[in-house]
Amino acid sequence: SQQGEEDPQALSIQEGENATMNCSYKTSINNLQWYRQNSGRGLVHLILIRSNEREKHSGRLRVTLDTSKKSSSLLITASRAADTASYFCATDPQNDYKLSFGAGTTVTVRA
Amino acid sequence: EAQVTQNPRYLITVTGKKLTVTCSQNMNHEYMSWYRQDPGLGLRQIYYSMNVEVTDKGDVPEGYKVSRKEKRNFPLILESPSPNQTSLYFCASKRGPNQPQHFGDGTRLSIL
């Protein structure tokens, strides 16, 4: 079942701007993960945030998690053309094996 | 190099002709999984395996079979493919609980 839902579905920004996308989910989770997919390629893991964590950073990426609202956000700062991709959140629910992906946010960074 | 390898990358075939998509990982991961990706639906899990000889259904298992006879390999079998199985398929593996998944580059199947 598709538990995570990303918002917006698509985002177009200028190079150098920040990009923010959100993910909402329905049930309790062990962790939430963000992945990037370049066109026609496999998914690349970006960040995993556990349910007892509220914020995590990796380079230009910042992820927040609010378990009370069942939501997460991914912020990409100072975007580059190479950040053009689809971004997916994936929720890792209690049984730990059925990772559920949302439909993704397509980000286009204009030069 | 640590990787998940899928073969073939592309396949066009006809309804009813059995096919197998292979998946191999070189990271000694216990957990492996198959997903299909369709426009607007994100990735949906087909089957997963927690270890050798241990497999279970994901969200969309109908029409698919898997086996896990060795730790590194997790083939996906379509016994009698149908057009609604035309999709982009991904194999993934991970080390254990609360770990990220490593994805293969995908297999694009077209069933006519």
Side-chain angles (χ1 to χ4, degrees):
Chain A
S1 59
Q2 192 171 322
Q3 191 188 191
E5 288 190 13
E6 291 92 344
D7 171 63
Q9 289 186 341
L11 184 59
S12 179
I13 55 173
Q14 201 73 32
E15 204 165 25
E17 293 180 338
N18 296 342
T20 300
M21 59 210 86
N22 303 296
C23 171
S24 60
Y25 58 92
K26 298 187 177 95
T27 62
S28 297
I29 59 173
N30 287 330
N31 65 70
L32 185 143
Q33 303 169 32
W34 285 92
Y35 290 83
R36 185 187 73 229
Q37 183 181 34
N38 292 93
S39 181
R41 303 299 304 274
L43 278 75
V44 174
H45 175 257
L46 297 175
I47 288 185
L48 182 152
I49 185 166
R50 290 179 166 75
S51 58
N52 61 353
E53 298 174 311
R54 291 296 166 257
E55 188 170 313
K56 210 159 182 182
H57 296 255
S58 176
R60 294 183 295 110
L61 306 179
R62 173 178 167 251
V63 167
T64 63
L65 179 65
D66 186 336
T67 52
S68 67
K69 294 181 180 177
K70 292 187 168 55
S71 67
S72 173
S73 68
L74 169 67
L75 168 68
I76 306 172
T77 60
S79 62
R80 305 167 181 168
D83 295 328
T84 293
S86 292
Y87 293 81
F88 295 88
C89 71
T91 51
D92 192 351
Q94 292 171 346
N95 69 8
D96 196 48
Y97 292 116
K98 297 185 74 170
L99 200 64
S100 297
F101 285 82
T105 294
T106 300
V107 175
T108 303
V109 181
R110 306 185 306 272
Chain B
E1 181 189 348
Q3 59 186 3
V4 178
T5 304
Q6 297 178 225
N7 279 297
R9 291 291 315 282
Y10 304 91
L11 179 64
I12 300 174
T13 187
V14 296
T15 299
K17 186 176 180 183
K18 180 180 178 180
L19 68 91
T20 299
V21 184
T22 63
C23 174
S24 179
Q25 50 94 4
N26 62 359
M27 296 168 279
N28 201 36
H29 286 172
E30 292 193 347
Y31 172 84
M32 298 185 74
S33 185
W34 276 103
Y35 297 88
R36 61 177 287 173
Q37 184 178 27
D38 302 289
L41 295 178
L43 275 80
R44 293 179 292 167
Q45 191 178 54
I46 303 171
Y47 269 95
Y48 60 94
S49 169
M50 289 79 78
N51 213 324
V52 175
E53 301 292 2
V54 182
T55 63
D56 205 350
K57 295 177 181 178
D59 294 316
V60 288
E62 297 78 20
Y64 305 95
K65 285 175 59 176
V66 293
S67 68
R68 187 93 182 272
K69 293 182 170 39
E70 309 163 278
K71 200 170 191 178
R72 64 182 293 130
N73 296 323
F74 190 44
L76 179 70
I77 303 156
L78 284 71
E79 294 267 3
S80 183
S82 63
N84 65 10
Q85 293 177 298
T86 292
S87 188
L88 179 57
Y89 290 85
F90 289 102
C91 180
S93 72
K94 69 174 183 177
R95 186 155 34 100
N98 275 319
Q99 296 295 319
Q101 297 206 27
H102 298 255
F103 282 81
D105 281 337
T107 295
R108 189 169 290 281
L109 286 183
S110 292
I111 303 176
L112 307 177

